[in-house]
């Protein structure tokens, strides 16, 4: 089987990297051609490939939870500027964000849209919440951004609603393997099902007793039902031997699983040692519990242990908790007791203020429409740009003005972000162009067709159309544009000549395209590889113009061409698409011109505040694509003023230096600087906190159970096993205890050699009982240093 036609999906970037390494052991050099991705990175990749076909900006940014909540937090201010009628309390924005995400995950098939998430998706919201949800989606679109849930929603929508797109993807892979499938939800399964429609070769691997993501929509039993209906020929394989843990721990885990599952638990491998009994302890309060854990860890590490053969290292010990605050309490005691440790918050690296500040500059340099990153740039260091100035610009959004426009060249030179375009349409030249390429990656792929239509004073005056000889095979892109390697061998010209001729043809004109960022990136990168420096380019994007000045939700070139009855219809061939874009520009120009006076007036009032910042950003952008990512990052940190802003906070400076080291380690020298930077920014956007856990770090890990998913330790402590904490009070009241049991099962199965379970009695002046879960762990345990657990089980035999 061709390796590039094998897709392996897993849950985290860290797990994906481990999977790549294991494949390399068995497959050698072929392993690098196997596609190993997380589900979100797969969807992001697919959406970028199809961006032009669905009207999604090809340079879209991916907003993490903090960025997305920040967008929601900014909405009331903007809405109040217009209506002054509603506000959302700040403590509700995180909850609303999660509800919006769940609504998109659970969207019915008939509510799917490849244009923008429609109001119907939020039908169960209150009217105010629904308005905010729709405004949130519109704001993301104006920033050329999507959130994590959008990645799944739009991928699912385009596969289900577009037969052409579906036919390109349902035969792309010959084998699809999904790890941790119990953590997936039906929306994700629908995507997998379509991708495997032709090959009928889909593997779902997982442990159903470890389902702990029902809150995000994971429903493995329903997925299995759908899978068996969709693939009736599928076979089931059960792995009945556990080779990871001791016999005692495997037996105990089976007892826990039996309390909520009818599945046959795995048996220990014949070679598995018996192992030590589980140790349980119930302390007076949380501090005493943490001290007991610290003392036990010190004894295990410092004293020769016949039980384990040799003393364990701190790095092979995990302390798992249910709520975050329990981990904080344990961490405080560990600090006092001298136990080297780290919490997962120490690895919330890419979410730290100073790291996000530096990343914001890089994101904005790559995507000048990213308003969220621009907002962050305005905060640190202070720019002297007040809320009143920003509000004045927001008021002009109806005239097509955006905050990010205040630092663009055209705004600074003409007083209008569209001033250069309007001037060129009236008295100068405009070149509308389009490309077809061998693939999606500018650093590796090539332009194979380049076409343009030129206008002078609003009239068509010229046409350019050439094919370029390729050194990279068109591969599967032939299914999109219909241009074959054989055709290019016969009709393609020398690329350097074609690109130079095009630049001469387009000289002294404004370049225009639909979703132009991709075409422009391909053109500048391909030219640079050929030794041609295009320099600064003035351009306009009809997709961005349409989003600003037209109502509706479908801004693909095809839809807009139909909307305006443009004679030249787009066909995924460069000349036709350039002609359709030219016709679209003719219809959009009067809309842009009609509100020019209002934009100019607001820019005249507020523009002076942005002059210095615009100059700084222009200086930084001059280095984009010239400096390698680590060098650009160093340059940004210095020239932006961040290094001076944080100079009195050594820890933040250390984090910025660590970010530079991350960029140095992940800089892909095989591609050009800008392509490598874009890859790095995509990694940062999709990284989870546990992705940066170093297996060689010799410190105890203090994690929540959810954060420990996929990890394993020689020794595990599960702390906080008290009623109303584990299981949690709300889980009991809301009848969600079955999921709590599965969380407990995940916790105890992280241990390979020894397991310690602990809780405490006094919590904020109230008495707590030992967790009911002590009654489902079987008989291979003993209580040390307390008697409350044994006493409760003796008094309440029904717990066992």
């Amino acid at each position: 089987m061709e390796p590039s036609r094998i897709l392996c999906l897993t849950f985290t970037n860290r797990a994906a990297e481990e999977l790549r390494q294991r494949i390399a052991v068995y497959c050698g050099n072929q392993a690098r051609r196997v596609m190993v991705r997380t589900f979100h990175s797969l969807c992001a990749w697919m959406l970028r490939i199809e961006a032009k076909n669905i009207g999604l900006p090809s340079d879209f940014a991916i907003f993490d939870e903090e960025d997305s909540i920040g967008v929601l937090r900014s909405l009331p201010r903007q809405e109040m500027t217009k209506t002054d009628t509603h506000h959302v309390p700040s403590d509700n924005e995180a909850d609303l964000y999660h509800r919006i995400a769940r609504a998109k995950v659970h969207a019915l098939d008939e509510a799917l849209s490849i244009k923008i998430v429609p109001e119907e998706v939020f039908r169960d919201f209150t009217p105010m919440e629904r308005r905010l949800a729709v405004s949130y989606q519109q704001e993301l679109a104006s920033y050329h951004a999507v959130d994590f849930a959008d990645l799944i929603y739009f991928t699912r929508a385009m596969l289900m609603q577009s037969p052409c797109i579906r036919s390109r993807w349902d035969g792309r892979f010959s084998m699809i393997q999904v790890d941790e499938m119990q953590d997936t939800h039906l929306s994700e399964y629908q995507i997998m099902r379509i991708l495997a429609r032709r090959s009928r070769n889909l593997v779902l691997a997982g442990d159903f007793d470890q389902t702990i993501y029902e809150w995000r929509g994971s429903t493995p039993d329903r997925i299995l039902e759908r899978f068996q209906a969709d693939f009736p020929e599928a076979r089931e394989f059960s792995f009945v031997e556990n080779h990871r843990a001791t016999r005692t721990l495997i037996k105990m885990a089976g007892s826990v699983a039996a309390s909520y599952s009818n599945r046959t638990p795995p048996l220990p491998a014949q070679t598995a040692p018996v192992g030590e009994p589980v140790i349980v302890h119930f302390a007076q309060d949380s501090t005493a519990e943490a001290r007991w854990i610290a003392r036990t860890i010190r004894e295990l590490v410092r004293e020769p242990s016949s039980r384990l053969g040799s003393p364990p290292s701190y790095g092979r010990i995990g302390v798992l908790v249910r709520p975050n605050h329990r981990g904080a309490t344990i961490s405080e005691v560990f600090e006092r007791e001298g136990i080297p440790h780290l919490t997962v918050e120490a690895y919330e690296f890419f979410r730290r203020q100073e790291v996000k500040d530096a990343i914001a500059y890089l994101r904005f340099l790559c995507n000048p429409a990213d308003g969220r990153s621009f907002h962050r740039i305005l905060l640190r260091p202070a720019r002297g740009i007040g809320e009143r100035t920003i509000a004045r610009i927001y008021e002009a959004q109806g005239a097509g003005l955006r905050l990010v426009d205040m630092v663009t060249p055209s705004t600074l030179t003409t007083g209008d972000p569209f001033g250069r375009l309007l001037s060129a349409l009236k008295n100068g030249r405009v070149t509308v162009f389009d490309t077809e390429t061998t693939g999606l990656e500018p650093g590796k792929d090539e332009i194979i067709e380049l076409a343009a239509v030129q206008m002078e004073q609003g009239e068509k005056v010229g046409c350019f159309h050439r094919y370029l000889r390729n050194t990279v095979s068109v591969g599967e892109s032939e299914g999109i544009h219909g241009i074959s390697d054989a055709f290019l061998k016969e009709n393609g010209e020398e690329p350097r000549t074609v690109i130079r001729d095009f630049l001469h043809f387009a000289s002294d004109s404004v370049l225009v395209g639909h979703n132009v960022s991709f075409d422009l990136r391909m053109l500048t990168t391909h030219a640079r590889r050929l030794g041609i420096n295009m320099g600064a380019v003035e351009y306009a994007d009809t997709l961005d113009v349409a989003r600003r000045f037209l109502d509706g939700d479908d801004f693909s070139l095809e839809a807009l061409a139909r909307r305006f009855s443009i004679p030249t219809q787009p066909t995924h061939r460069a000349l036709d698409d350039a002609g359709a874009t030219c016709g679209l520009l003719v219809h959009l120009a009067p809309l842009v011109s009609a509100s020019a006076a209002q934009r100019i007036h607001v820019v005249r009032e507020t523009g002076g505040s942005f002059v210095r910042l615009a100059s700084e950003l222009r200086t930084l952008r001059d280095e984009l694509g010239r400096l390698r990512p680590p060098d650009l990052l160093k340059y940004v940190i210095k020239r932006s003023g961040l290094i001076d802003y944080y100079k009195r906070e050594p820890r933040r400076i250390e984090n910025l230096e660590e970010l530079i080291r991350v960029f140095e380690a992940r800089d892909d020298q095989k591609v050009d600087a800008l392509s490598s930077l874009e890859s790095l920014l995509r990694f940062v956007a999709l990284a989870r906190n546990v992705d940066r856990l170093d297996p060689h770090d010799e410190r105890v890990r203090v994690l929540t159970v959810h954060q420990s998913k996929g990890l394993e330790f020689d020794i595990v402590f599960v702390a906080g096993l008290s009623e109303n904490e584990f299981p949690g009070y709300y889980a009991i009241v809301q009848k969600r205890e079955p999921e709590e049991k599965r969380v407990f099962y995940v916790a105890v199965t992280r241990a390979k050699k020894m397991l310690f379970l602990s809780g405490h009695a006094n919590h904020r002046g109230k008495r707590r009982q030992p967790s009911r879960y002590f009654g489902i762990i079987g008989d291979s345990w003993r209580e040390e240093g307390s008697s409350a657990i044994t006493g409760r089980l003796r008094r309440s035999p029904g717990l066992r």
Side-chain angles (χ1 to χ4, degrees), residues 129-148:
E129 291 171 337
R130 195 177 307 121
R131 286 196 299 273
L132 283 169
V134 172
S135 295
Y136 165 75
Q137 294 298 148
Q138 292 171 339
E139 196 71 5
L140 285 180
S142 74
Y143 290 163
H144 290 198
V146 297
D147 64 20
F148 287 155

Side-chain angles (χ1 to χ4, degrees), residues 12 51 69 82 182 197 218 363 416 421 436 587 596 701:
T12 65
I69 292 172
K82 299 176 214 173
Q182 75 276 0
R197 190 173 69 90
S218 63
R363 289 199 339 187
D416 180 4
L421 174 64
E436 297 300 335
H587 286 277
R701 271 65 161 178

Side-chain angles (χ1 to χ4, degrees), residues 168 474-483:
R168 282 198 290 272
V474 297
E476 295 176 357
S477 69
E478 182 180 349
I480 298 175
H481 46 60
I483 303 172

Side-chain angles (χ1 to χ4, degrees), residues 460-475:
K460 295 180 183 178
V461 296
C463 181
F464 181 98
H465 184 216
R466 309 271 279 278
Y467 295 102
L468 290 72
R469 192 164 54 246
N470 58 321
T471 61
V472 176
S473 174
V474 297

Side-chain angles (χ1 to χ4, degrees), residues 59-61 143-145 362-371 373 621:
D59 60 352
F60 66 81
Y143 290 163
H144 290 198
L362 299 178
R363 289 199 339 187
F364 185 68
L365 293 178
C366 290
N367 176 9
D370 185 350
S373 291
R621 189 166 278 116

Side-chain angles (χ1 to χ4, degrees), residues 338-351:
I339 301 294
H341 71 286
L342 59 85
T343 65
V344 81
E345 281 67 30
Y347 279 85
E348 289 278 8
F349 183 73
F350 297 117
R351 307 297 177 256

Side-chain angles (χ1 to χ4, degrees), residues 214 728-740 742:
E214 288 182 340
Y729 171 78
Y730 288 107
I732 296 170
V733 170
Q734 297 171 4
K735 302 188 185 305
R736 291 187 288 104
E737 208 218 328
E739 184 170 0
E740 286 285 283
R742 289 193 289 272

Side-chain angles (χ1 to χ4, degrees), residues 12-75:
T12 65
N13 286 311
R14 181 189 50 76
E17 186 56 38
E18 288 182 2
L19 183 54
R20 290 188 190 97
Q21 294 171 3
R22 294 183 186 184
I23 294 173
V25 170
Y26 292 99
C27 303
N29 292 332
Q30 297 278 44
R32 61 184 176 81
R33 298 170 61 194
V34 176
M35 183 173 288
V36 181
R37 291 182 178 269
T38 66
F39 212 97
H40 283 115
S41 71
L42 170 72
C43 291
W45 174 67
M46 293 173 65
L47 288 174
R48 290 189 196 281
I49 289 177
E50 299 291 350
K52 294 188 72 171
N53 302 315
I54 62 176
L56 186 70
S58 56
D59 60 352
F60 66 81
I62 301 170
F63 280 9
D64 62 23
E65 181 174 331
E66 181 184 339
D67 287 327
S68 300
I69 292 172
V71 172
L72 277 170
R73 193 161 287 144
S74 71
L75 287 177

